[in-house]
Amino acid sequence: KAGVTQTPRYLIKTRGQQVTLSCSPISGHRSVSWYQQTPGQGLQFLFEYFSETQRNKGNFPGRFSGRQFSNSRSEMNVSTLELGDSALYLCASEAGARSGTEAFFGQGTRLTVV
Amino acid sequence: AQKVTQAQTEISVVEKEDVTLDCVYETRDTTYYLFWYKQPPSGELVFLIRRNSFDEQNEISGRYSWNFQKSTSSFNFTITASQVVDSAVYFCALSEARIQAGTALIFGKGTTLSVSS
């Protein structure tokens, strides 16, 4: 069974640009969540999608957005990049709709903003 | 507000030593779940253990064991006879059972464990 796949693995962007990250969940999983990991703030929840609907959103500015497609694949977009957006972005997929189940994480996309 | 605190930033041990990672959480919900995840250098988070708020029974699974105490809001994790391969960052996480919370995980800042041979 294939795991969670995130592409690209590494990305370098310039301030002011926008970026799109992709996540393919485990087959059959309908919940996809995104997290930002930085040395200063640690792991922070960005948003969660279930059946193409955003169910929950963390405390991030509107520059961070996402979507989920009918095949459960998800993308997140960051517009007007800032230096502080440099981080490891992790995607997690879960089989169920409710909390308490095991989340499977991808290896992440390392975004560097210069 | 929900919060997870891992007071230990870094721990260094020698192989075969036992090591306990501390975790204290805050939540107003009565139903919630607690997790431990491991993050090796490759980056992906690996699920280790899960406990729900109604089950305070402590268990042992191989070299792993955990101590969940609601009275002190703690969920500590012990590795017995540590090995070099246990070197990683360990995260404690909380998720709440409210529908509005979805499957969001609230993570602690992590504890970096270094096991030397």
Side-chain angles (χ1 to χ4, degrees), chain B residues 60-85:
Chain B
I60 298 174
S61 175
R63 295 188 299 110
Y64 299 156
S65 62
W66 51 97
N67 187 336
F68 175 31
Q69 294 192 343
K70 285 178 76 171
S71 60
T72 55
S73 297
S74 66
F75 185 52
N76 298 335
F77 175 61
T78 297
I79 302 173
T80 302
S82 59
Q83 302 174 0
V84 172
V85 293

PDB file of all heavy atoms in Angstrom, chain B residues 60-85:
ATOM      1  N   ILE B  60       2.250  -1.648  27.943  1.00  0.00           N
ATOM      2  CA  ILE B  60       3.594  -1.845  27.425  1.00  0.00           C
ATOM      3  C   ILE B  60       3.459  -2.506  26.065  1.00  0.00           C
ATOM      4  O   ILE B  60       2.686  -3.455  25.897  1.00  0.00           O
ATOM      5  CB  ILE B  60       4.433  -2.734  28.359  1.00  0.00           C
ATOM      6  CG1 ILE B  60       4.592  -2.064  29.719  1.00  0.00           C
ATOM      7  CG2 ILE B  60       5.792  -3.034  27.729  1.00  0.00           C
ATOM      8  CD1 ILE B  60       5.272  -2.934  30.751  1.00  0.00           C
ATOM      9  N   SER B  61       4.194  -1.992  25.104  1.00  0.00           N
ATOM     10  CA  SER B  61       4.209  -2.590  23.776  1.00  0.00           C
ATOM     11  C   SER B  61       5.663  -2.712  23.350  1.00  0.00           C
ATOM     12  O   SER B  61       6.280  -1.730  22.932  1.00  0.00           O
ATOM     13  CB  SER B  61       3.426  -1.707  22.797  1.00  0.00           C
ATOM     14  OG  SER B  61       3.520  -2.220  21.483  1.00  0.00           O
ATOM     15  N   GLY B  62       6.201  -3.872  23.474  1.00  0.00           N
ATOM     16  CA  GLY B  62       7.608  -4.062  23.150  1.00  0.00           C
ATOM     17  C   GLY B  62       8.481  -3.251  24.084  1.00  0.00           C
ATOM     18  O   GLY B  62       8.373  -3.358  25.309  1.00  0.00           O
ATOM     19  N   ARG B  63       9.314  -2.374  23.512  1.00  0.00           N
ATOM     20  CA  ARG B  63      10.180  -1.530  24.348  1.00  0.00           C
ATOM     21  C   ARG B  63       9.485  -0.222  24.739  1.00  0.00           C
ATOM     22  O   ARG B  63      10.071   0.592  25.442  1.00  0.00           O
ATOM     23  CB  ARG B  63      11.479  -1.231  23.601  1.00  0.00           C
ATOM     24  CG  ARG B  63      12.343  -2.450  23.350  1.00  0.00           C
ATOM     25  CD  ARG B  63      13.697  -2.078  22.772  1.00  0.00           C
ATOM     26  NE  ARG B  63      13.610  -1.416  21.500  1.00  0.00           N
ATOM     27  CZ  ARG B  63      13.894  -0.120  21.303  1.00  0.00           C
ATOM     28  NH1 ARG B  63      14.284   0.641  22.322  1.00  0.00           N
ATOM     29  NH2 ARG B  63      13.802   0.418  20.097  1.00  0.00           N
ATOM     30  N   TYR B  64       8.279  -0.011  24.239  1.00  0.00           N
ATOM     31  CA  TYR B  64       7.556   1.219  24.529  1.00  0.00           C
ATOM     32  C   TYR B  64       6.534   1.006  25.648  1.00  0.00           C
ATOM     33  O   TYR B  64       5.868  -0.022  25.697  1.00  0.00           O
ATOM     34  CB  TYR B  64       6.795   1.711  23.288  1.00  0.00           C
ATOM     35  CG  TYR B  64       7.629   2.044  22.081  1.00  0.00           C
ATOM     36  CD1 TYR B  64       7.077   2.002  20.804  1.00  0.00           C
ATOM     37  CD2 TYR B  64       8.951   2.423  22.199  1.00  0.00           C
ATOM     38  CE1 TYR B  64       7.821   2.322  19.674  1.00  0.00           C
ATOM     39  CE2 TYR B  64       9.707   2.735  21.081  1.00  0.00           C
ATOM     40  CZ  TYR B  64       9.138   2.681  19.832  1.00  0.00           C
ATOM     41  OH  TYR B  64       9.887   3.003  18.717  1.00  0.00           O
ATOM     42  N   SER B  65       6.390   1.996  26.482  1.00  0.00           N
ATOM     43  CA  SER B  65       5.313   1.989  27.461  1.00  0.00           C
ATOM     44  C   SER B  65       4.880   3.426  27.688  1.00  0.00           C
ATOM     45  O   SER B  65       5.617   4.361  27.366  1.00  0.00           O
ATOM     46  CB  SER B  65       5.754   1.340  28.784  1.00  0.00           C
ATOM     47  OG  SER B  65       6.801   2.074  29.372  1.00  0.00           O
ATOM     48  N   TRP B  66       3.687   3.593  28.200  1.00  0.00           N
ATOM     49  CA  TRP B  66       3.219   4.945  28.434  1.00  0.00           C
ATOM     50  C   TRP B  66       2.427   5.011  29.712  1.00  0.00           C
ATOM     51  O   TRP B  66       1.862   4.030  30.179  1.00  0.00           O
ATOM     52  CB  TRP B  66       2.405   5.488  27.258  1.00  0.00           C
ATOM     53  CG  TRP B  66       1.295   4.599  26.789  1.00  0.00           C
ATOM     54  CD1 TRP B  66      -0.012   4.680  27.129  1.00  0.00           C
ATOM     55  CD2 TRP B  66       1.419   3.522  25.884  1.00  0.00           C
ATOM     56  NE1 TRP B  66      -0.710   3.679  26.488  1.00  0.00           N
ATOM     57  CE2 TRP B  66       0.140   2.974  25.714  1.00  0.00           C
ATOM     58  CE3 TRP B  66       2.483   2.940  25.175  1.00  0.00           C
ATOM     59  CZ2 TRP B  66      -0.110   1.896  24.876  1.00  0.00           C
ATOM     60  CZ3 TRP B  66       2.238   1.866  24.356  1.00  0.00           C
ATOM     61  CH2 TRP B  66       0.946   1.357  24.212  1.00  0.00           C
ATOM     62  N   ASN B  67       2.432   6.189  30.296  1.00  0.00           N
ATOM     63  CA  ASN B  67       1.785   6.437  31.574  1.00  0.00           C
ATOM     64  C   ASN B  67       0.847   7.617  31.394  1.00  0.00           C
ATOM     65  O   ASN B  67       1.287   8.754  31.272  1.00  0.00           O
ATOM     66  CB  ASN B  67       2.853   6.737  32.634  1.00  0.00           C
ATOM     67  CG  ASN B  67       2.259   6.843  34.019  1.00  0.00           C
ATOM     68  OD1 ASN B  67       1.074   7.128  34.177  1.00  0.00           O
ATOM     69  ND2 ASN B  67       3.072   6.631  35.035  1.00  0.00           N
ATOM     70  N   PHE B  68      -0.438   7.352  31.377  1.00  0.00           N
ATOM     71  CA  PHE B  68      -1.456   8.371  31.174  1.00  0.00           C
ATOM     72  C   PHE B  68      -2.133   8.648  32.515  1.00  0.00           C
ATOM     73  O   PHE B  68      -2.715   7.739  33.116  1.00  0.00           O
ATOM     74  CB  PHE B  68      -2.477   7.882  30.147  1.00  0.00           C
ATOM     75  CG  PHE B  68      -3.652   8.789  29.923  1.00  0.00           C
ATOM     76  CD1 PHE B  68      -3.540  10.159  30.055  1.00  0.00           C
ATOM     77  CD2 PHE B  68      -4.888   8.265  29.559  1.00  0.00           C
ATOM     78  CE1 PHE B  68      -4.621  10.991  29.841  1.00  0.00           C
ATOM     79  CE2 PHE B  68      -5.976   9.093  29.329  1.00  0.00           C
ATOM     80  CZ  PHE B  68      -5.847  10.456  29.471  1.00  0.00           C
ATOM     81  N   GLN B  69      -2.060   9.882  32.987  1.00  0.00           N
ATOM     82  CA  GLN B  69      -2.700  10.254  34.244  1.00  0.00           C
ATOM     83  C   GLN B  69      -3.541  11.508  34.024  1.00  0.00           C
ATOM     84  O   GLN B  69      -2.996  12.610  33.891  1.00  0.00           O
ATOM     85  CB  GLN B  69      -1.643  10.497  35.328  1.00  0.00           C
ATOM     86  CG  GLN B  69      -0.875   9.247  35.730  1.00  0.00           C
ATOM     87  CD  GLN B  69      -0.054   9.448  36.993  1.00  0.00           C
ATOM     88  OE1 GLN B  69       0.197  10.573  37.399  1.00  0.00           O
ATOM     89  NE2 GLN B  69       0.379   8.361  37.602  1.00  0.00           N
ATOM     90  N   LYS B  70      -4.857  11.320  34.035  1.00  0.00           N
ATOM     91  CA  LYS B  70      -5.753  12.464  33.833  1.00  0.00           C
ATOM     92  C   LYS B  70      -5.649  13.456  34.988  1.00  0.00           C
ATOM     93  O   LYS B  70      -5.816  14.661  34.800  1.00  0.00           O
ATOM     94  CB  LYS B  70      -7.192  11.986  33.684  1.00  0.00           C
ATOM     95  CG  LYS B  70      -7.467  11.368  32.334  1.00  0.00           C
ATOM     96  CD  LYS B  70      -8.881  10.869  32.233  1.00  0.00           C
ATOM     97  CE  LYS B  70      -9.873  11.999  32.037  1.00  0.00           C
ATOM     98  NZ  LYS B  70     -11.221  11.483  31.736  1.00  0.00           N
ATOM     99  N   SER B  71      -5.387  12.969  36.183  1.00  0.00           N
ATOM    100  CA  SER B  71      -5.349  13.854  37.354  1.00  0.00           C
ATOM    101  C   SER B  71      -4.261  14.912  37.230  1.00  0.00           C
ATOM    102  O   SER B  71      -4.387  16.024  37.747  1.00  0.00           O
ATOM    103  CB  SER B  71      -5.141  13.035  38.625  1.00  0.00           C
ATOM    104  OG  SER B  71      -3.916  12.324  38.550  1.00  0.00           O
ATOM    105  N   THR B  72      -3.192  14.573  36.539  1.00  0.00           N
ATOM    106  CA  THR B  72      -2.100  15.524  36.355  1.00  0.00           C
ATOM    107  C   THR B  72      -1.977  15.962  34.897  1.00  0.00           C
ATOM    108  O   THR B  72      -1.027  16.678  34.534  1.00  0.00           O
ATOM    109  CB  THR B  72      -0.758  14.918  36.794  1.00  0.00           C
ATOM    110  OG1 THR B  72      -0.554  13.681  36.070  1.00  0.00           O
ATOM    111  CG2 THR B  72      -0.751  14.642  38.292  1.00  0.00           C
ATOM    112  N   SER B  73      -2.926  15.537  34.054  1.00  0.00           N
ATOM    113  CA  SER B  73      -2.910  15.870  32.614  1.00  0.00           C
ATOM    114  C   SER B  73      -1.563  15.533  31.993  1.00  0.00           C
ATOM    115  O   SER B  73      -0.960  16.336  31.277  1.00  0.00           O
ATOM    116  CB  SER B  73      -3.217  17.364  32.399  1.00  0.00           C
ATOM    117  OG  SER B  73      -4.504  17.668  32.844  1.00  0.00           O
ATOM    118  N   SER B  74      -1.086  14.360  32.291  1.00  0.00           N
ATOM    119  CA  SER B  74       0.210  13.957  31.745  1.00  0.00           C
ATOM    120  C   SER B  74       0.098  12.674  30.936  1.00  0.00           C
ATOM    121  O   SER B  74      -0.745  11.814  31.217  1.00  0.00           O
ATOM    122  CB  SER B  74       1.229  13.791  32.870  1.00  0.00           C
ATOM    123  OG  SER B  74       0.874  12.719  33.705  1.00  0.00           O
ATOM    124  N   PHE B  75       0.940  12.575  29.945  1.00  0.00           N
ATOM    125  CA  PHE B  75       0.943  11.409  29.068  1.00  0.00           C
ATOM    126  C   PHE B  75       2.395  11.136  28.714  1.00  0.00           C
ATOM    127  O   PHE B  75       2.886  11.517  27.650  1.00  0.00           O
ATOM    128  CB  PHE B  75       0.103  11.689  27.825  1.00  0.00           C
ATOM    129  CG  PHE B  75      -0.061  10.514  26.890  1.00  0.00           C
ATOM    130  CD1 PHE B  75      -0.497   9.282  27.350  1.00  0.00           C
ATOM    131  CD2 PHE B  75       0.196  10.648  25.528  1.00  0.00           C
ATOM    132  CE1 PHE B  75      -0.665   8.206  26.492  1.00  0.00           C
ATOM    133  CE2 PHE B  75       0.031   9.581  24.657  1.00  0.00           C
ATOM    134  CZ  PHE B  75      -0.404   8.364  25.134  1.00  0.00           C
ATOM    135  N   ASN B  76       3.090  10.479  29.630  1.00  0.00           N
ATOM    136  CA  ASN B  76       4.519  10.259  29.463  1.00  0.00           C
ATOM    137  C   ASN B  76       4.807   8.970  28.715  1.00  0.00           C
ATOM    138  O   ASN B  76       4.049   7.995  28.806  1.00  0.00           O
ATOM    139  CB  ASN B  76       5.203  10.239  30.828  1.00  0.00           C
ATOM    140  CG  ASN B  76       5.050  11.561  31.549  1.00  0.00           C
ATOM    141  OD1 ASN B  76       4.860  12.609  30.929  1.00  0.00           O
ATOM    142  ND2 ASN B  76       5.108  11.519  32.872  1.00  0.00           N
ATOM    143  N   PHE B  77       5.918   8.953  28.027  1.00  0.00           N
ATOM    144  CA  PHE B  77       6.287   7.855  27.128  1.00  0.00           C
ATOM    145  C   PHE B  77       7.684   7.365  27.494  1.00  0.00           C
ATOM    146  O   PHE B  77       8.596   8.178  27.648  1.00  0.00           O
ATOM    147  CB  PHE B  77       6.244   8.376  25.682  1.00  0.00           C
ATOM    148  CG  PHE B  77       6.711   7.416  24.640  1.00  0.00           C
ATOM    149  CD1 PHE B  77       6.062   6.213  24.450  1.00  0.00           C
ATOM    150  CD2 PHE B  77       7.778   7.735  23.809  1.00  0.00           C
ATOM    151  CE1 PHE B  77       6.473   5.328  23.468  1.00  0.00           C
ATOM    152  CE2 PHE B  77       8.200   6.854  22.834  1.00  0.00           C
ATOM    153  CZ  PHE B  77       7.558   5.651  22.647  1.00  0.00           C
ATOM    154  N   THR B  78       7.812   6.060  27.677  1.00  0.00           N
ATOM    155  CA  THR B  78       9.100   5.497  28.085  1.00  0.00           C
ATOM    156  C   THR B  78       9.600   4.504  27.044  1.00  0.00           C
ATOM    157  O   THR B  78       8.840   3.660  26.564  1.00  0.00           O
ATOM    158  CB  THR B  78       8.984   4.792  29.449  1.00  0.00           C
ATOM    159  OG1 THR B  78       8.626   5.765  30.439  1.00  0.00           O
ATOM    160  CG2 THR B  78      10.304   4.142  29.838  1.00  0.00           C
ATOM    161  N   ILE B  79      10.864   4.636  26.727  1.00  0.00           N
ATOM    162  CA  ILE B  79      11.541   3.659  25.869  1.00  0.00           C
ATOM    163  C   ILE B  79      12.494   2.885  26.774  1.00  0.00           C
ATOM    164  O   ILE B  79      13.354   3.470  27.447  1.00  0.00           O
ATOM    165  CB  ILE B  79      12.339   4.326  24.738  1.00  0.00           C
ATOM    166  CG1 ILE B  79      11.408   5.200  23.879  1.00  0.00           C
ATOM    167  CG2 ILE B  79      13.031   3.277  23.876  1.00  0.00           C
ATOM    168  CD1 ILE B  79      12.153   6.028  22.833  1.00  0.00           C
ATOM    169  N   THR B  80      12.330   1.598  26.793  1.00  0.00           N
ATOM    170  CA  THR B  80      13.182   0.746  27.620  1.00  0.00           C
ATOM    171  C   THR B  80      14.345   0.227  26.773  1.00  0.00           C
ATOM    172  O   THR B  80      14.179  -0.077  25.598  1.00  0.00           O
ATOM    173  CB  THR B  80      12.368  -0.452  28.151  1.00  0.00           C
ATOM    174  OG1 THR B  80      11.252   0.059  28.892  1.00  0.00           O
ATOM    175  CG2 THR B  80      13.221  -1.342  29.036  1.00  0.00           C
ATOM    176  N   ALA B  81      15.518   0.180  27.391  1.00  0.00           N
ATOM    177  CA  ALA B  81      16.703  -0.333  26.695  1.00  0.00           C
ATOM    178  C   ALA B  81      16.870   0.364  25.344  1.00  0.00           C
ATOM    179  O   ALA B  81      16.801  -0.260  24.278  1.00  0.00           O
ATOM    180  CB  ALA B  81      16.616  -1.846  26.515  1.00  0.00           C
ATOM    181  N   SER B  82      17.086   1.657  25.395  1.00  0.00           N
ATOM    182  CA  SER B  82      17.154   2.466  24.186  1.00  0.00           C
ATOM    183  C   SER B  82      18.225   1.954  23.220  1.00  0.00           C
ATOM    184  O   SER B  82      19.233   1.340  23.620  1.00  0.00           O
ATOM    185  CB  SER B  82      17.432   3.927  24.551  1.00  0.00           C
ATOM    186  OG  SER B  82      18.657   4.023  25.256  1.00  0.00           O
ATOM    187  N   GLN B  83      17.986   2.231  21.937  1.00  0.00           N
ATOM    188  CA  GLN B  83      18.907   1.847  20.880  1.00  0.00           C
ATOM    189  C   GLN B  83      19.240   3.068  20.041  1.00  0.00           C
ATOM    190  O   GLN B  83      18.479   4.045  20.015  1.00  0.00           O
ATOM    191  CB  GLN B  83      18.267   0.758  20.002  1.00  0.00           C
ATOM    192  CG  GLN B  83      17.865  -0.492  20.748  1.00  0.00           C
ATOM    193  CD  GLN B  83      17.107  -1.483  19.880  1.00  0.00           C
ATOM    194  OE1 GLN B  83      16.863  -1.246  18.692  1.00  0.00           O
ATOM    195  NE2 GLN B  83      16.717  -2.611  20.468  1.00  0.00           N
ATOM    196  N   VAL B  84      20.341   2.997  19.327  1.00  0.00           N
ATOM    197  CA  VAL B  84      20.748   4.130  18.488  1.00  0.00           C
ATOM    198  C   VAL B  84      19.646   4.498  17.491  1.00  0.00           C
ATOM    199  O   VAL B  84      19.416   5.683  17.204  1.00  0.00           O
ATOM    200  CB  VAL B  84      22.074   3.808  17.750  1.00  0.00           C
ATOM    201  CG1 VAL B  84      22.402   4.897  16.740  1.00  0.00           C
ATOM    202  CG2 VAL B  84      23.220   3.645  18.751  1.00  0.00           C
ATOM    203  N   VAL B  85      18.926   3.509  16.996  1.00  0.00           N
ATOM    204  CA  VAL B  85      17.857   3.771  16.020  1.00  0.00           C
ATOM    205  C   VAL B  85      16.687   4.540  16.613  1.00  0.00           C
ATOM    206  O   VAL B  85      15.808   5.015  15.892  1.00  0.00           O
ATOM    207  CB  VAL B  85      17.323   2.465  15.386  1.00  0.00           C
ATOM    208  CG1 VAL B  85      18.391   1.824  14.541  1.00  0.00           C
ATOM    209  CG2 VAL B  85      16.797   1.515  16.451  1.00  0.00           C
TER     210      VAL B  85
END
